[in-house]
Coordinates of all heavy atoms in Angstrom, one line a residue:
R48 N 7.4 33.7 19.4 CA 7.5 34.9 20.3 C 8.3 36.0 19.5 O 8.3 36.0 18.3 CB 8.2 34.5 21.6 CG 7.4 33.5 22.4 CD 8.0 33.3 23.8 NE 7.1 32.4 24.5 CZ 6.0 32.7 25.2 NH1 5.7 33.9 25.3 NH2 5.3 31.8 25.8
E49 N 8.9 36.9 20.2 CA 9.5 38.1 19.5 C 10.9 37.9 19.1 O 11.6 38.8 18.6 CB 9.4 39.3 20.5 CG 10.3 39.2 21.7 CD 9.6 38.6 22.9 OE1 8.5 37.9 22.6 OE2 10.0 38.7 24.0
F50 N 11.5 36.6 19.2 CA 12.9 36.3 18.9 C 12.9 35.6 17.5 O 12.1 34.7 17.2 CB 13.6 35.5 19.9 CG 13.7 36.3 21.3 CD1 12.7 36.0 22.2 CD2 14.6 37.2 21.4 CE1 12.8 36.7 23.5 CE2 14.7 37.9 22.7 CZ 13.8 37.6 23.7
V51 N 14.0 35.9 16.7 CA 14.4 35.2 15.5 C 15.8 34.7 15.7 O 16.7 35.6 16.0 CB 14.2 36.0 14.3 CG1 14.8 35.3 13.1 CG2 12.7 36.3 14.0
Y52 N 16.1 33.5 15.6 CA 17.4 32.9 15.9 C 18.0 32.6 14.6 O 17.4 32.1 13.6 CB 17.3 31.6 16.7 CG 16.7 31.9 18.1 CD1 15.3 31.9 18.2 CD2 17.4 32.1 19.2 CE1 14.7 32.1 19.5 CE2 16.9 32.3 20.5 CZ 15.5 32.3 20.6 OH 14.9 32.5 21.8
V53 N 19.4 32.7 14.5 CA 20.2 32.3 13.4 C 21.2 31.3 13.9 O 22.0 31.5 14.8 CB 20.9 33.5 12.7 CG1 21.7 33.1 11.5 CG2 19.9 34.6 12.4
Y54 N 21.1 30.1 13.3 CA 22.0 29.0 13.7 C 22.9 28.6 12.6 O 22.5 28.5 11.4 CB 21.1 27.7 14.1 CG 21.9 26.6 14.6 CD1 22.4 26.5 15.8 CD2 22.2 25.5 13.7 CE1 23.1 25.4 16.3 CE2 22.8 24.4 14.1 CZ 23.3 24.3 15.4 OH 24.0 23.2 15.8
D55 N 24.2 28.4 12.9 CA 25.2 28.0 11.9 C 25.4 26.5 12.0 O 25.9 25.9 13.0 CB 26.5 28.7 12.2 CG 27.5 28.5 11.1 OD1 27.2 27.9 10.1 OD2 28.7 28.8 11.3
R56 N 25.0 25.7 10.9 CA 25.2 24.3 10.9 C 26.6 23.8 10.9 O 27.0 22.8 11.5 CB 24.5 23.7 9.6 CG 23.0 23.7 9.7 CD 22.4 22.8 10.7 NE 22.8 21.4 10.5 CZ 22.2 20.5 9.7 NH1 21.2 20.9 9.0 NH2 22.7 19.3 9.6
E57 N 27.5 24.6 10.2 CA 28.9 24.2 10.1 C 29.6 24.4 11.5 O 30.4 23.5 11.9 CB 29.6 25.0 9.1 CG 29.1 24.7 7.6 CD 29.8 25.6 6.6 OE1 30.6 26.5 7.0 OE2 29.6 25.3 5.4
G58 N 29.4 25.5 12.1 CA 30.0 25.7 13.4 C 29.2 25.1 14.6 O 29.7 24.9 15.7
G59 N 27.9 24.8 14.3 CA 27.1 24.1 15.4 C 26.7 25.1 16.5 O 26.6 24.6 17.7
V60 N 26.6 26.4 16.3 CA 26.3 27.4 17.4 C 25.3 28.4 16.8 O 25.1 28.5 15.6 CB 27.6 28.1 17.8 CG1 28.6 27.2 18.5 CG2 28.3 28.8 16.6
L61 N 24.6 29.0 17.8 CA 23.8 30.1 17.4 C 24.6 31.3 17.2 O 25.5 31.7 18.1 CB 22.8 30.4 18.6 CG 21.6 29.4 18.8 CD1 20.8 29.8 20.0 CD2 20.7 29.5 17.6
T62 N 24.4 32.0 16.1 CA 25.3 33.1 15.8 C 24.7 34.5 16.1 O 25.4 35.4 16.3 CB 25.7 33.1 14.2 OG1 24.4 33.1 13.5 CG2 26.4 31.8 13.9
A63 N 23.3 34.5 16.1 CA 22.7 35.8 16.5 C 21.3 35.5 16.9 O 20.7 34.5 16.6 CB 22.7 36.7 15.3
V64 N 20.8 36.4 17.7 CA 19.4 36.4 18.1 C 18.9 37.8 17.9 O 19.3 38.8 18.4 CB 19.2 36.0 19.6 CG1 17.7 36.1 20.0 CG2 19.8 34.6 19.8
Y65 N 17.8 38.0 17.0 CA 17.2 39.2 16.8 C 15.9 39.3 17.6 O 15.1 38.4 17.7 CB 16.8 39.4 15.3 CG 18.0 39.4 14.4 CD1 18.4 38.3 13.8 CD2 18.6 40.6 14.1 CE1 19.5 38.4 12.9 CE2 19.7 40.7 13.3 CZ 20.2 39.5 12.7 OH 21.3 39.6 11.9
Q66 N 15.7 40.4 18.3 CA 14.5 40.7 19.1 C 13.7 41.8 18.5 O 14.2 42.9 18.4 CB 14.9 41.1 20.6 CG 13.7 41.3 21.4 CD 14.1 41.6 22.9 OE1 15.3 41.7 23.2 NE2 13.1 41.7 23.8
F67 N 12.5 41.4 18.2 CA 11.6 42.4 17.5 C 10.6 43.0 18.5 O 10.4 42.4 19.6 CB 10.8 41.6 16.4 CG 11.6 41.3 15.2 CD1 12.4 40.2 15.2 CD2 11.7 42.2 14.1 CE1 13.2 39.8 14.1 CE2 12.4 41.9 13.0 CZ 13.2 40.7 13.0
P68 N 9.9 44.0 18.2 CA 9.0 44.7 19.1 C 7.9 43.8 19.6 O 7.4 44.0 20.7 CB 8.6 46.0 18.4 CG 9.6 46.2 17.4 CD 10.1 44.9 17.0
H69 N 7.4 42.9 18.7 CA 6.2 42.2 19.0 C 6.4 40.7 18.5 O 7.5 40.4 18.0 CB 5.0 42.7 18.3 CG 4.6 44.1 18.8 ND1 4.0 44.4 20.0 CD2 4.9 45.4 18.2 CE1 3.8 45.7 20.1 NE2 4.3 46.3 19.1
Q70 N 5.4 39.9 18.7 CA 5.5 38.5 18.3 C 5.7 38.4 16.8 O 5.1 39.1 16.0 CB 4.2 37.7 18.7 CG 4.0 37.5 20.2 CD 2.7 36.8 20.5 OE1 1.8 36.8 19.7 NE2 2.7 36.0 21.6
V71 N 6.5 37.4 16.5 CA 6.8 37.1 15.1 C 5.7 36.2 14.5 O 5.6 35.0 15.1 CB 8.2 36.6 14.9 CG1 8.4 36.2 13.4 CG2 9.2 37.6 15.3
W72 N 5.0 36.5 13.5 CA 4.0 35.7 12.9 C 4.5 34.9 11.7 O 4.1 33.8 11.4 CB 2.8 36.5 12.5 CG 1.9 36.8 13.7 CD1 2.0 36.5 15.0 CD2 0.6 37.5 13.6 NE1 1.0 36.9 15.7 CE2 0.1 37.6 14.9 CE3 -0.1 38.2 12.6 CZ2 -1.1 38.2 15.2 CZ3 -1.3 38.8 12.9 CH2 -1.8 38.8 14.2
H73 N 5.4 35.5 10.9 CA 5.9 34.9 9.7 C 7.3 35.5 9.4 O 7.5 36.7 9.7 CB 4.9 35.1 8.5 CG 5.3 34.3 7.3 ND1 5.3 33.0 7.2 CD2 5.6 34.8 6.1 CE1 5.6 32.6 6.0 NE2 5.8 33.7 5.3
L74 N 8.1 34.7 8.7 CA 9.3 35.2 8.2 C 9.7 34.5 6.9 O 9.3 33.4 6.7 CB 10.5 35.0 9.2 CG 11.0 33.6 9.4 CD1 12.4 33.7 10.0 CD2 10.2 32.9 10.4
Q75 N 10.4 35.3 6.0 CA 10.7 34.8 4.7 C 12.1 35.4 4.3 O 12.4 36.5 4.6 CB 9.7 35.1 3.6 CG 9.9 34.4 2.3 CD 8.7 34.6 1.4 OE1 7.6 34.8 1.8 NE2 9.0 34.4 0.1
L76 N 12.9 34.5 3.7 CA 14.3 34.9 3.4 C 14.3 35.0 1.9 O 14.0 34.1 1.1 CB 15.3 33.9 3.9 CG 16.8 34.1 3.5 CD1 17.3 35.4 4.2 CD2 17.6 32.9 3.8
L77 N 14.8 36.2 1.5 CA 15.1 36.4 0.1 C 16.6 36.2 -0.1 O 17.4 37.2 0.1 CB 14.7 37.8 -0.4 CG 14.6 38.1 -1.9 CD1 13.7 37.2 -2.6 CD2 14.2 39.6 -2.2
A78 N 17.0 35.0 -0.5 CA 18.4 34.7 -0.4 C 19.3 35.5 -1.4 O 20.4 35.8 -1.1 CB 18.6 33.1 -0.7
A79 N 18.8 35.7 -2.6 CA 19.6 36.5 -3.6 C 19.8 37.9 -3.1 O 20.9 38.4 -3.5 CB 18.8 36.5 -4.9
R80 N 19.0 38.5 -2.3 CA 19.2 39.9 -1.9 C 19.8 39.9 -0.4 O 20.0 41.0 0.1 CB 17.9 40.6 -1.8 CG 17.1 40.6 -3.2 CD 17.8 41.3 -4.3 NE 17.1 41.3 -5.5 CZ 17.4 41.9 -6.6 NH1 18.6 42.5 -6.6 NH2 16.7 41.8 -7.7
R81 N 20.0 38.7 0.1 CA 20.5 38.6 1.5 C 19.6 39.5 2.4 O 20.1 40.3 3.3 CB 21.9 39.1 1.6 CG 22.9 38.1 0.9 CD 23.0 36.8 1.6 NE 23.5 36.9 2.9 CZ 23.5 35.9 3.8 NH1 23.0 34.7 3.5 NH2 23.9 36.1 5.0
A82 N 18.3 39.4 2.3 CA 17.3 40.1 3.1 C 16.4 39.2 3.8 O 15.9 38.2 3.2 CB 16.6 41.1 2.2
L83 N 16.1 39.5 5.1 CA 15.2 38.7 5.9 C 13.9 39.6 6.2 O 14.1 40.6 6.8 CB 15.8 38.2 7.2 CG 14.9 37.4 8.1 CD1 14.6 36.0 7.4 CD2 15.6 37.2 9.5
Y84 N 12.8 39.1 5.7 CA 11.5 39.8 5.9 C 10.7 39.1 7.0 O 10.5 37.9 7.0 CB 10.7 39.9 4.6 CG 11.3 40.7 3.6 CD1 12.3 40.2 2.7 CD2 10.9 42.0 3.4 CE1 12.8 41.0 1.7 CE2 11.4 42.8 2.4 CZ 12.4 42.3 1.6 OH 12.9 43.1 0.6
V85 N 10.3 40.0 8.0 CA 9.6 39.4 9.2 C 8.3 40.2 9.4 O 8.4 41.4 9.4 CB 10.5 39.5 10.5 CG1 9.9 39.0 11.7 CG2 11.9 38.8 10.2
L86 N 7.2 39.4 9.7 CA 5.9 40.0 10.0 C 5.7 39.9 11.5 O 5.8 38.8 12.1 CB 4.8 39.3 9.3 CG 3.4 39.7 9.7 CD1 3.1 41.1 9.3 CD2 2.4 38.8 8.9
C87 N 5.5 41.1 12.1 CA 5.3 41.1 13.6 C 3.8 41.4 13.8 O 3.1 42.1 13.0 CB 6.1 42.2 14.2 SG 7.8 41.9 14.4
A88 N 3.3 40.9 14.9 CA 1.9 41.0 15.2 C 1.4 42.4 15.4 O 2.1 43.1 16.2 CB 1.5 40.1 16.4
R89 N 0.4 42.7 14.6 CA -0.3 44.1 14.8 C 0.7 45.2 14.6 O 0.5 46.3 15.2 CB -0.9 44.2 16.2 CG -2.0 43.1 16.5 CD -3.0 43.0 15.4 NE -4.0 41.9 15.7 CZ -4.9 41.5 14.8 NH1 -4.9 42.1 13.6 NH2 -5.7 40.5 15.1
T90 N 1.8 45.0 13.9 CA 2.7 46.1 13.7 C 3.0 46.3 12.2 O 2.8 47.3 11.6 CB 4.1 45.8 14.4 OG1 3.8 45.5 15.7 CG2 5.0 46.9 14.3
G91 N 3.5 45.3 11.5 CA 3.9 45.3 10.1 C 5.0 44.4 9.7 O 5.4 43.5 10.5
I92 N 5.6 44.7 8.6 CA 6.7 43.9 8.0 C 8.0 44.6 8.3 O 8.2 45.8 7.9 CB 6.5 43.6 6.6 CG1 5.2 42.8 6.4 CG2 7.7 42.8 6.0 CD1 4.8 42.5 4.9
Y93 N 9.0 43.9 8.8 CA 10.3 44.4 9.0 C 11.3 43.8 8.0 O 11.0 42.6 7.5 CB 10.9 44.1 10.4 CG 10.2 44.9 11.5 CD1 8.9 44.5 11.9 CD2 10.7 46.0 12.1 CE1 8.2 45.2 12.9 CE2 10.1 46.7 13.1 CZ 8.8 46.3 13.5 OH 8.2 47.0 14.5
C94 N 12.3 44.5 7.6 CA 13.3 43.9 6.6 C 14.7 44.2 7.2 O 15.1 45.2 7.6 CB 13.2 44.7 5.3 SG 14.3 44.0 4.1
L95 N 15.4 43.0 7.3 CA 16.8 43.0 7.8 C 17.8 42.7 6.8 O 17.6 41.8 6.0 CB 17.0 42.1 9.0 CG 16.0 42.3 10.2 CD1 16.3 41.2 11.3 CD2 16.2 43.7 10.8
S96 N 18.9 43.4 6.8 CA 20.0 43.1 5.8 C 20.9 42.0 6.4 O 21.4 42.3 7.5 CB 20.7 44.3 5.4 OG 21.8 44.0 4.6
L97 N 21.2 41.0 5.7 CA 22.1 39.9 6.3 C 23.4 40.0 5.4 O 23.7 39.2 4.6 CB 21.5 38.5 6.1 CG 20.1 38.4 6.8 CD1 19.6 37.0 6.5 CD2 20.3 38.6 8.3
D98 N 24.1 41.1 5.6 CA 25.4 41.3 4.9 C 26.4 40.2 5.3 O 26.5 39.9 6.5 CB 25.9 42.7 5.2 CG 27.1 43.0 4.4 OD1 26.9 43.4 3.1 OD2 28.3 42.9 4.9
S99 N 27.1 39.7 4.3 CA 28.1 38.7 4.6 C 29.2 39.1 5.5 O 29.7 38.3 6.4 CB 28.7 38.2 3.2 OG 29.3 39.3 2.6
R100 N 29.6 40.3 5.4 CA 30.7 40.8 6.3 C 30.2 40.8 7.8 O 30.9 40.3 8.6 CB 31.1 42.2 5.9 CG 32.4 42.7 6.7 CD 32.6 44.1 6.3 NE 31.5 45.0 6.6 CZ 31.5 46.3 6.2 NH1 32.5 46.8 5.7 NH2 30.4 47.0 6.5
D101 N 29.0 41.3 8.0 CA 28.5 41.3 9.3 C 28.3 40.0 9.9 O 28.6 39.7 11.0 CB 27.1 42.1 9.4 CG 27.3 43.6 9.0 OD1 28.5 44.1 9.1 OD2 26.3 44.2 8.6
R102 N 27.8 39.0 9.0 CA 27.6 37.7 9.5 C 28.9 37.0 9.9 O 29.0 36.3 10.8 CB 27.0 36.9 8.4 CG 25.6 37.3 7.9 CD 24.5 37.3 9.0 NE 24.5 36.1 9.8 CZ 24.5 36.1 11.1 NH1 24.5 37.2 11.7 NH2 24.5 34.9 11.7
A103 N 30.0 37.3 9.1 CA 31.3 36.8 9.5 C 31.8 37.3 10.8 O 32.4 36.6 11.6 CB 32.3 37.1 8.3
E104 N 31.6 38.6 11.0 CA 32.1 39.2 12.3 C 31.3 38.6 13.5 O 31.9 38.2 14.5 CB 31.9 40.7 12.3 CG 32.8 41.4 11.3 CD 32.5 42.9 11.2 OE1 31.6 43.3 11.9 OE2 33.2 43.6 10.5
I105 N 30.0 38.4 13.3 CA 29.2 37.8 14.4 C 29.6 36.4 14.7 O 29.7 35.9 15.8 CB 27.7 37.9 14.0 CG1 27.3 39.3 14.0 CG2 26.8 37.1 15.0 CD1 25.9 39.6 13.6
Q106 N 29.9 35.6 13.5 CA 30.3 34.2 13.7 C 31.6 34.1 14.4 O 31.9 33.3 15.3 CB 30.3 33.5 12.4 CG 30.7 32.1 12.5 CD 30.6 31.4 11.1 OE1 30.2 32.0 10.1 NE2 31.0 30.2 11.0
A107 N 32.6 35.0 14.1 CA 33.9 35.0 14.7 C 33.8 35.3 16.2 O 34.4 34.7 17.1 CB 34.8 36.0 14.0

Side-chain angles (χ1 to χ4, degrees):
R48 297 189 179 273
E49 65 271 18
F50 296 99
V51 173
Y52 300 86
V53 182
Y54 181 81
D55 186 11
R56 289 290 304 271
E57 294 179 353
V60 292
L61 285 173
T62 57
V64 178
Y65 294 94
Q66 184 176 4
F67 289 84
H69 298 280
Q70 289 180 334
V71 175
W72 280 2
H73 186 64
L74 72 158
Q75 187 169 341
L76 177 65
L77 193 60
R80 309 292 182 180
R81 295 292 299 170
L83 181 67
Y84 291 83
V85 180
L86 172 61
C87 287
R89 306 302 180 190
T90 305
I92 298 177
Y93 291 76
C94 183
L95 301 180
S96 176
L97 304 175
D98 186 76
S99 58
R100 183 186 60 182
D101 296 339
R102 301 297 315 130
E104 292 177 359
I105 293 175
Q106 183 175 355

